[in-house]
């Protein structure tokens, strides 16, 4: 976003979006024929034709021979009254030209500020059309967002409508067409750059946050350079990563959002550590570390749990140590790395092996980490699973129930670990067998004897043998 004399201008670095606009500019619209067929009024069509000639055609750069306010009024009226998509697409392109023009943008915005209801009219006449194609949607979104980021035109109601709009979401979530989705990500980033919009945008996080992390996933498995189309060459994948992360970073300045991000999207957040290990782009590393810092800021609820998760589930300290040895040119990045390292290191000295275990259990991201295979850990901590009316043990059983119904093979390791842990507790705290029975866990464990994964079967057999042997103790 560029700010010039009180005007926020979107600097959209998308070759594909510019190609769309150029293609529309080169198409001939039969304005006169549309008037004869009564699809457009003679006045609206005449205004559109004049603006097209001045802004886009042979007279480009010339002076307008009509009041600009009258011209914009006619364009908005045409969008609201016409059903002809080609004419409306051409008009949307004219408005985009006005919003990006240093010569005309100030006067155009003054007109909209005199009648802010026109922003709603523009939204309703373009983005609620179920027949709108992707090009139409991108132009509409660009124009609406260009208005909604201006002082005096901001509308929380319209922003919420936009981020939940089916047309917008259709383009945003279709990463097979990254060149189009990228534009939607950029526009979302422009919206959350406005502080007052962040919380209401986050209300719809389930619709866009998975898209952001899917882009990061593609970077991690090396697909970003092959999955995206050639637009912007290899830069599109990197730019998509950058603006996806920039969107998260801006949102994470709100403490409640940072807390939600750390809790609801923990496994995805941990992938930022993986991303900074493989990326060669400092700007991607800088944003990733800045997001993590915001999530452990002093004012964020649950920051202690987040720090533990970064340490124990994300291997944060060794990764930060590796990064500190790289020769980054960005002073701010080096400072952020040092600060995050200090926060994690301070907490690390207070951790116990039980903290590590509980962090895994809370996250449900169980792996064969040391506590699960260390007999000393179990002899020292098994009694703690009995505390608070078997709170930890019941939590373990709930994870077992959830994983036992999963059809995702990636959950097999976690299922093996859960069964292993139950076996240890049964052997050391035999009275827990009553809890297994009351919670129907015995049946679930015996059903896992038929699990397709041989290692899950083996752990289920060990657990079954343990609770049978200890049933009458």
């Amino acid at each position: 976003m560029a700010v010039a004399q009180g005007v926020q201008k979107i600097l959209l670095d998308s070759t594909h979006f510019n190609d769309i606009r150029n293609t529309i500019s080169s198409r001939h619209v039969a304005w006169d024929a549309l008037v004869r067929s009564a699809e457009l009024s003679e006045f609206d069509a005449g205004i559109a034709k004049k603006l097209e000639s001045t802004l886009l055609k042979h007279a480009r750069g010339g002076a307008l021979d009509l009041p600009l306010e009258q011209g914009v009024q006619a364009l908005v009226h045409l969008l609201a009254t016409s059903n002809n998509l080609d004419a409306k697409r051409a008009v949307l392109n004219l408005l985009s030209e006005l919003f990006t023009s240093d010569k005309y943008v100030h006067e155009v915005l003054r007109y909209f500020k005199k009648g802010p209801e026109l922003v709603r009219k523009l939204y309703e006449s373009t983005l609620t059309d179920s027949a709108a194609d992707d090009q139409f949607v991108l132009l509409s979104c660009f124009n609406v967002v260009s208005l909604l980021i201006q002082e005096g035109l901001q509308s929380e109601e319209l922003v919420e409508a936009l981020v939940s709009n089916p047309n917008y979401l259709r383009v945003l979530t279709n990463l097979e067409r990254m060149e189009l989705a990228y534009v939607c990500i950029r526009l979302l980033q422009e919206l959350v750059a406005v502080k007052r919009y962040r919380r209401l945008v986050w209300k719809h996080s389930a619709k866009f946050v998975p898209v952001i992390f899917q882009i990061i996933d593609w970077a991690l498995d090396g697909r970003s350079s092959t999955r995206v189309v050639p637009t912007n060459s290899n830069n599109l994948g990197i730019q998509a990563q950058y603006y996806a992360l920039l969107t998260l970073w801006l949102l994470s300045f709100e403490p409640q959002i940072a807390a939600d991000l750390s809790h609801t999207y923990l496994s995805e957040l941990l992938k930022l550590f993986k991303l900074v290990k493989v990326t060669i782009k400092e700007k991607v590393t800088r944003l990733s570390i800045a997001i993590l810092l915001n999530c452990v800021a002093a004012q964020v609820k649950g920051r202690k749990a987040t720090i533990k998760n970064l340490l124990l589930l994300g291997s944060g300290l060794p990764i930060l140590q590796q990064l500190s040895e790289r020769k980054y040119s960005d002073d701010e990045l080096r400072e952020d790395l040092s600060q995050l390292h200090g926060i994690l290191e301070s907490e690390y000295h207070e951790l116990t092996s039980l903290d590590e275990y509980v962090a895994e259990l809370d996250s449900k991201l169980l792996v064969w980490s040391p506590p699960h295979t260390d007999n000393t850990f179990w002899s020292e901590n098994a009694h703690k699973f009995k505390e608070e009316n078997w709170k930890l043990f019941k939590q373990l059983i709930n994870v077992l129930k959830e994983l036992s119904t999963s059809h995702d093979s990636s959950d097999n390791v976690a299922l093996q670990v859960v069964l292993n842990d139950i076996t240890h507790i049964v052997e050391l705290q035999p009275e827990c067998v009553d809890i297994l029975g009351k919670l129907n866990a015995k049946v679930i464990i015996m059903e896992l004897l038929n699990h397709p994964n041989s290692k899950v079967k083996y752990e289920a057999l060990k657990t079954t043998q343990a609770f049978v042997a200890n049933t009458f103790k």
Side-chain angles (χ1 to χ4, degrees):
M1 181 192 298
V3 182
Q5 298 179 339
V7 172
Q8 314 284 337
K9 285 181 63 179
I10 300 175
L11 301 177
L12 195 51
D13 53 343
S14 167
T15 302
H16 189 77
F17 186 69
N18 292 333
D19 288 344
I20 289 173
R21 291 180 56 196
N22 290 333
T23 300
I24 294 171
S25 299
S26 65
R27 289 176 185 160
H28 173 71
V29 178
W31 301 108
D32 295 337
L34 292 172
V35 171
R36 288 194 296 272
S37 63
E39 293 183 68
L40 301 178
S41 72
E42 185 174 356
F43 179 79
D44 289 349
I47 295 289
K49 193 174 179 180
K50 284 184 178 180
L51 286 173
E52 183 181 67
S53 176
T54 302
L55 297 174
L56 305 175
K57 304 295 183 182
H58 57 276
R60 192 167 192 156
L64 290 175
D65 59 353
L66 76 160
L68 187 55
E69 181 173 317
Q70 183 185 63
V72 175
Q73 185 178 20
L75 295 182
V76 174
H77 182 263
L78 188 154
L79 289 170
T81 56
S82 174
N83 292 319
N84 187 288
L85 281 179
D86 288 335
K88 293 176 75 169
R89 187 181 287 105
V91 167
L92 286 172
N93 195 40
L94 289 172
L95 284 172
S96 297
E97 189 68 24
L98 291 171
F99 288 133
T100 54
S101 166
D102 291 334
K103 186 175 183 180
Y104 299 116
V105 64
H106 292 81
E107 191 175 345
V108 172
L109 292 178
R110 277 197 297 272
Y111 170 70
F112 275 99
K113 288 178 180 179
K114 284 195 292 185
E117 72 282 354
L118 291 172
V119 183
R120 173 174 293 281
K121 190 174 183 180
L122 180 61
Y123 172 87
E124 292 177 346
S125 61
T126 57
L127 281 166
T128 58
D129 190 341
S130 59
D133 59 26
D134 291 350
Q135 290 186 355
F136 191 95
V137 170
L138 289 182
L139 284 167
S140 301
C141 289
F142 177 83
N143 291 335
V144 170
V145 173
S146 293
L147 292 167
L148 289 175
I149 61 176
Q150 308 299 329
E151 289 287 344
L153 290 174
Q154 294 175 7
S155 165
E156 295 180 6
E157 186 181 355
L158 278 182
V159 167
E160 191 161 9
L162 176 62
V163 296
S164 59
N165 180 279
N167 284 325
Y168 170 76
L169 291 173
R170 183 190 76 231
V171 182
L172 172 71
T173 57
N174 183 15
L175 295 185
E176 295 294 332
R177 298 293 307 277
M178 178 67 88
E179 75 280 13
L180 303 178
Y182 170 73
V183 177
C184 289
I185 291 168
R186 282 285 287 106
L187 296 177
L188 183 65
Q189 176 265 309
E190 293 286 350
L191 287 175
V192 298
V194 180
K195 188 177 187 298
R196 64 181 287 193
Y197 290 155
R198 290 173 188 165
R199 291 192 181 187
L200 63 93
V201 169
W202 187 254
K203 285 168 60 178
H204 302 276
S205 60
K207 297 184 175 76
F208 66 84
V209 172
V211 175
I212 288 175
F213 282 113
Q214 190 174 346
I215 292 170
I216 293 171
D217 279 343
W218 282 8
L220 291 174
D221 65 17
R223 298 168 69 192
S224 59
S225 63
T226 56
R227 290 285 292 186
V228 297
V229 297
T231 306
N232 279 357
S233 187
N234 291 330
N235 292 330
L236 183 60
I238 295 294
Q239 290 299 92
Q241 288 172 44
Y242 175 76
Y243 283 106
L245 290 167
L246 182 58
T247 301
L248 278 186
W249 177 63
L250 290 166
L251 287 166
S252 67
F253 278 97
E254 295 293 323
Q256 184 56 55
I257 294 176
D260 289 347
L261 179 62
S262 304
H263 176 72
T264 308
Y265 298 99
L266 173 61
S267 60
E268 290 85 355
L269 191 68
L270 294 174
K271 291 177 183 176
L272 295 184
F273 272 138
K274 294 182 180 179
L275 180 62
V276 296
K277 284 177 65 177
V278 300
T279 186
I280 59 172
K281 296 294 183 180
E282 282 195 24
K283 63 182 183 180
V284 170
T285 300
R286 182 175 64 247
L287 281 175
S288 299
I289 297 300
I291 291 167
L292 293 173
L293 264 179
N294 281 351
C295 289
V296 297
Q299 67 271 30
V300 175
K301 184 179 179 181
R303 67 182 292 267
K304 284 275 190 180
T306 302
I307 293 170
K308 288 179 180 178
N309 288 327
L310 295 181
L311 278 168
L312 302 172
L313 304 178
S315 302
L317 275 181
I319 291 173
L320 290 171
Q321 184 59 43
Q322 292 173 26
L323 295 179
S324 68
E325 294 168 3
R326 297 184 185 178
K327 303 203 179 294
Y328 292 116
S329 60
D330 189 319
D331 291 339
E332 189 174 335
L333 170 57
R334 292 199 299 271
E335 290 173 8
D336 284 353
L337 285 168
S338 176
Q339 184 181 352
L340 186 58
H341 187 279
I343 291 171
L344 266 58
E345 189 171 43
S346 176
E347 186 68 23
Y348 177 75
H349 295 303
E350 300 176 18
L351 286 177
T352 66
S353 54
L354 184 62
D355 288 324
E356 180 177 358
Y357 182 89
V358 173
E360 276 194 47
L361 187 58
D362 287 343
S363 70
K364 302 176 187 175
L365 303 174
L366 291 98
V367 293
W368 287 111
S369 56
H372 305 286
T373 57
D374 183 357
N375 288 330
T376 301
F377 168 82
W378 289 109
S379 62
E380 291 177 351
N381 294 290
H383 68 282
K384 295 180 181 177
F385 286 76
K386 185 178 179 178
E387 294 174 356
E388 298 182 60
N389 192 26
W390 297 94
K391 179 182 175 182
L392 272 181
F393 188 60
K394 289 176 179 177
Q395 185 178 351
L396 191 61
I397 291 173
N398 287 334
V399 174
L400 169 72
K401 290 179 177 180
E402 184 176 330
L403 293 173
S404 67
T405 59
S406 172
H407 300 290
D408 188 344
S409 61
S410 64
D411 289 328
N412 287 343
V413 170
L415 190 52
Q416 295 164 38
V417 174
V418 170
L419 289 165
N420 166 81
D421 295 357
I422 292 174
T423 302
H424 279 292
I425 298 165
V426 169
E427 290 173 345
L428 294 167
Q429 299 288 324
E431 61 268 42
C432 76
V433 174
D434 290 339
I435 306 297
L436 286 176
K438 289 176 183 177
L439 297 180
N440 201 40
K442 287 183 180 180
V443 175
I444 294 171
I445 292 167
M446 288 189 287
E447 287 175 348
L448 290 173
L449 293 170
N450 297 314
H451 195 278
N453 182 274
S454 61
K455 292 182 179 179
V456 171
K457 276 191 205 177
Y458 175 67
E459 294 297 337
L461 177 60
K462 283 167 56 181
T463 310
T464 302
Q465 290 171 338
F467 72 66
V468 169
N470 287 278
T471 295
F472 302 106
K473 284 189 177 181

